Amino acid sequence: MSKLKAVFGLVKLVLPESIVEWMYRGRRTIVAGRMIDAKAQAVSEVVGMMRDINDLPTIEESRQQLLESAQKLEKPGPDSVGMVDIQLPGAESDRRARVYTPAGVSPDGAAPTLLYLHGGGWVQGAIESHDGLCARLAHLAGIRVVSYDYRLAPEHMFPAAVDDVLACYSALISGQTVLNIDPAQLAVGGDSAGGNLTAVLMHDIAKAGLPMPLGQLLIYPAVDARLTSQSMLDLQEQPLLPASRIKWYLDLYVAEGPVRLAPRVSPLFTDTYAKQPSAMIVAGGHDPLWDDAHVYAEALREAGVAVELVAYPGQIHAFMSLTKVIPQGNEAIETSAKWLRTLF
């Protein structure tokens, strides 16, 4: 990769959207009839220049890459949003959590609350990598957001993360934490692997007979570990989330075999749809998880669940965490916040 080419690629990230659209005129990638957003293509090209899709990093490198990407490309939350770290229960020990409260909302009193589960392929991601997204949701929706630090693989393989999330939710709704949580004023959400954990939690809650949350926010969720959908095949070389990375994440998270088709890994196969709360699902058309979002939305609808599917045909994976360079990421956060306001 030439230095000049790399610099030119980075420049396109910060140019106005209209100029980048002009620069890519007539040569934007089209997959299954879906044309990529110009800024998303610029990001994809830069990522493609920086890493070979088949050159997998170490765990430590992967975690650092995600954190650095968030620090550089995610818009921070406004200063008016308060932040405090607390401890919340996990399956084996307490876990760190961060509470985001907009002006006028109590950090520990009764308030509409979103329990948020960060993405990162079950092996990376943290409170810090999704700090801006959570703070902006809190600000725009006018609610408290609680970002939870579940255990990561491969140090803690399946079912550690799902067990942590269920333990946290159970403690929140039963009044066993420092937060004053009303189950009727609680929603759960997450992106990517966090969307998977959110969907799995709905299955676990139904099976345990616990009170359901008010709603579920699923941001480009992974719901089918077979990895055989058409979008998965069409976009297997998409630089942001290529097939090689998806398989690597999954192999680090859960052993091969029938367990991968169990609802606690692949929530698409749950039999609890009819018991679940209303949902908002966000999907990107140049994300291999595009079909996961659509198939899951249809399964919920067929069971009688109210679903708002918000599709961005030109967007890539993680675009809601790339808000400094992809304008539609900001639009999607605002739409999610609007849905949350309506929900509460």
Side-chain angles (χ1 to χ4, degrees), residues 141-185:
I143 64 171
R144 177 172 56 193
V145 174
V146 180
S147 181
Y148 180 67
D149 185 34
Y150 55 87
R151 286 175 292 171
L152 298 177
E155 296 89 344
H156 305 281
M157 293 182 68
F158 173 83
V162 295
D163 286 348
D164 277 347
V165 172
L166 179 59
C168 176
Y169 180 84
S170 300
L172 286 173
I173 64 170
S174 61
Q176 298 176 29
T177 74
V178 295
L179 300 176
N180 186 350
I181 299 288
D182 179 354
Q185 290 288 290

Side-chain angles (χ1 to χ4, degrees), residues 17-318:
E17 187 174 23
S18 59
I19 295 177
V20 178
E21 287 176 347
W22 175 81
M23 294 172 71
Y24 281 116
R25 186 176 52 188
R27 59 186 189 93
R28 282 199 250 170
T29 302
I30 299 175
V31 172
R34 303 185 298 271
M35 180 184 291
I36 195 169
D37 172 80
K39 295 289 286 205
Q41 181 150 332
V43 172
S44 297
E45 289 184 358
V46 168
V47 172
M49 287 188 290
M50 294 175 62
R51 70 186 191 197
D52 185 323
I53 62 173
N54 295 310
D55 184 15
L56 297 173
T58 66
I59 299 297
E60 293 73 20
E61 288 170 343
S62 180
R63 290 171 178 169
Q64 189 62 30
Q65 286 171 2
L66 180 61
L67 181 59
E68 290 178 355
S69 173
Q71 291 171 339
K72 294 175 182 176
L73 302 177
E74 180 184 54
K75 280 187 177 180
D79 293 338
S80 59
V81 175
M83 292 184 288
V84 60
D85 285 3
I86 63 172
Q87 295 289 308
L88 290 176
E92 293 188 356
S93 62
D94 285 351
R95 305 292 304 166
R96 188 167 64 106
R98 180 165 295 171
V99 182
Y100 301 83
T101 50
V105 175
S106 170
D108 53 9
T113 301
L114 171 68
L115 172 62
Y116 195 84
L117 309 172
H118 67 76
W122 307 281
V123 304
Q124 59 187 6
I127 289 171
E128 288 76 14
S129 64
H130 288 65
D131 196 62
L133 173 58
C134 288
R136 294 182 68 199
L137 283 174
H139 171 69
L140 292 168
I143 64 171
R144 177 172 56 193
V145 174
V146 180
S147 181
Y148 180 67
D149 185 34
Y150 55 87
R151 286 175 292 171
L152 298 177
E155 296 89 344
H156 305 281
M157 293 182 68
F158 173 83
V162 295
D163 286 348
D164 277 347
V165 172
L166 179 59
C168 176
Y169 180 84
S170 300
L172 286 173
I173 64 170
S174 61
Q176 298 176 29
T177 74
V178 295
L179 300 176
N180 186 350
I181 299 288
D182 179 354
Q185 290 288 290
L186 176 64
V188 182
D191 64 292
S192 195
N196 168 275
L197 294 174
T198 299
V200 169
L201 179 63
M202 299 305 109
H203 168 85
D204 283 350
I205 293 169
K207 291 299 184 182
L210 296 172
M212 279 286 173
L214 193 59
Q216 53 184 317
L217 174 61
L218 306 173
I219 300 173
Y220 23 85
V223 298
D224 184 357
R226 292 176 298 180
L227 309 183
T228 56
S229 71
Q230 191 59 52
S231 63
M232 194 70 65
L233 298 175
D234 289 343
L235 291 156
Q236 59 185 303
E237 296 186 355
Q238 216 295 326
L240 263 290
L241 188 63
S244 56
R245 285 250 176 171
I246 298 172
K247 186 179 184 303
W248 183 64
Y249 294 147
L250 196 59
D251 288 345
L252 290 170
Y253 176 56
V254 61
E256 291 188 8
V259 67
R260 293 195 177 187
L261 300 185
R264 298 193 88 207
V265 176
S266 295
L268 179 63
F269 301 114
T270 187
D271 59 0
T272 69
Y273 286 116
K275 297 179 181 179
Q276 294 194 26
S278 60
M280 176 175 167
I281 303 178
V282 179
H286 284 254
D287 179 350
L289 298 175
W290 169 262
D291 284 348
D292 281 43
H294 282 76
V295 173
Y296 201 72
E298 185 58 28
L300 283 167
R301 285 172 176 156
E302 287 182 356
V305 177
V307 179
E308 184 173 338
L309 176 61
V310 184
Y312 294 88
Q315 280 309 329
I316 53 179
H317 191 70

